[in-house]
Amino acid sequence: QKGSEQKLLSFTVVGDRINEPVSYAMPTGCIVTEETLDGEDAMTDNRSVDLSEEGHYVILYRCVRNNVEYQLDLTVDHTAPTITADGVKNGKARGPVTLKNIEAGSTLVILKDGKQITRRTILTQPGAYTVKVTDEAGNSNAYSFYILFYLNAGGISFGLILVVAITALGIYLYVSRRRLRIR
């Protein structure tokens, strides 16, 4: 009909790594011709692909109307990333916290007292922290902990110098006062 629109094809754009959907229905007029999971044949149906298992999928499908073949190459990852927060015990730290085992390609968002701070792997300032890690497939995990007030080596050194200075000042004032009485 002249002037009317007809939807011929619909599709979803996906990246190289995904965590959903867990199944992929072929577009209308297309059929799966070959499907592999981690290099092994995995074809079960020519109208849809089950993506519930993790791994590397290569899916070949053909559009029946124009006889053109297409390839879908992607990795399915349903596992949320994890990190190690060295120095945290029972949600609290009494010193610096080192973030380790960060999956390559993942992103970190660090909140200190509810405000986002720049990404770093060593956290030293006291406060409430939430660290959210997200992998390339979109899976994420969040960790919350507190860094309690603590004195590091610099703080202890400064404290000792301050105590020595106050003591020296006290001794100086005491000796100066006694000398004034003697004259």
Side-chain angles (χ1 to χ4, degrees):
Q1 223 178 11
K2 193 172 185 178
S4 68
E5 291 183 21
Q6 183 179 9
K7 183 171 147 181
L8 298 176
L9 181 69
S10 68
F11 58 91
T12 302
V13 177
V14 296
D16 293 342
R17 299 182 71 84
I18 64 168
N19 65 0
E20 52 181 40
V22 292
S23 104
Y24 179 72
M26 286 294 109
T28 304
C30 295
I31 58 169
V32 177
T33 57
E34 185 180 335
E35 174 191 348
T36 61
L37 171 59
D38 295 329
E40 301 288 322
D41 181 35
M43 189 162 162
T44 57
D45 184 1
N46 70 351
R47 295 291 307 135
S48 68
V49 177
D50 178 17
L51 300 172
S52 58
E53 284 189 55
E54 289 190 348
H56 180 244
Y57 287 83
V58 177
I59 303 157
L60 299 175
Y61 60 98
R62 184 172 39 87
C63 182
V64 178
R65 286 186 181 171
N66 62 8
N67 206 28
V68 174
E69 283 231 346
Y70 300 95
Q71 177 176 317
L72 181 61
D73 187 336
L74 55 90
T75 300
V76 174
D77 176 5
H78 299 298
T79 306
T82 59
I83 60 172
T84 304
D86 274 358
V88 176
K89 288 188 175 51
N90 298 322
K92 295 177 184 167
R94 298 190 185 281
V97 173
T98 304
L99 304 175
K100 295 181 177 178
N101 302 323
I102 302 166
E103 184 179 308
S106 64
T107 58
L108 278 183
V109 174
I110 303 170
L111 301 176
K112 179 186 175 283
D113 299 324
K115 294 184 176 126
Q116 187 169 342
I117 61 173
T118 57
R119 179 185 164 150
R120 57 186 69 138
T121 56
I122 299 175
L123 306 172
T124 57
Q125 299 295 314
Y129 287 86
T130 300
V131 178
K132 183 178 179 183
V133 58
T134 305
D135 66 15
E136 292 177 301
N139 302 303
S140 64
N141 225 337
Y143 300 86
S144 295
F145 55 89
Y146 295 94
I147 296 180
L148 304 173
F149 179 77
Y150 67 97
L151 290 175
N152 59 12
I156 292 171
S157 298
F158 177 76
L160 288 174
I161 291 170
L162 186 63
V163 167
V164 168
I166 290 173
T167 304
L169 179 63
I171 292 171
Y172 172 76
L173 290 174
Y174 177 74
V175 169
S176 296
R177 206 169 161 190
R178 292 202 101 211
R179 284 187 181 166
L180 284 175
R181 287 185 194 169
I182 295 173
R183 291 185 180 188

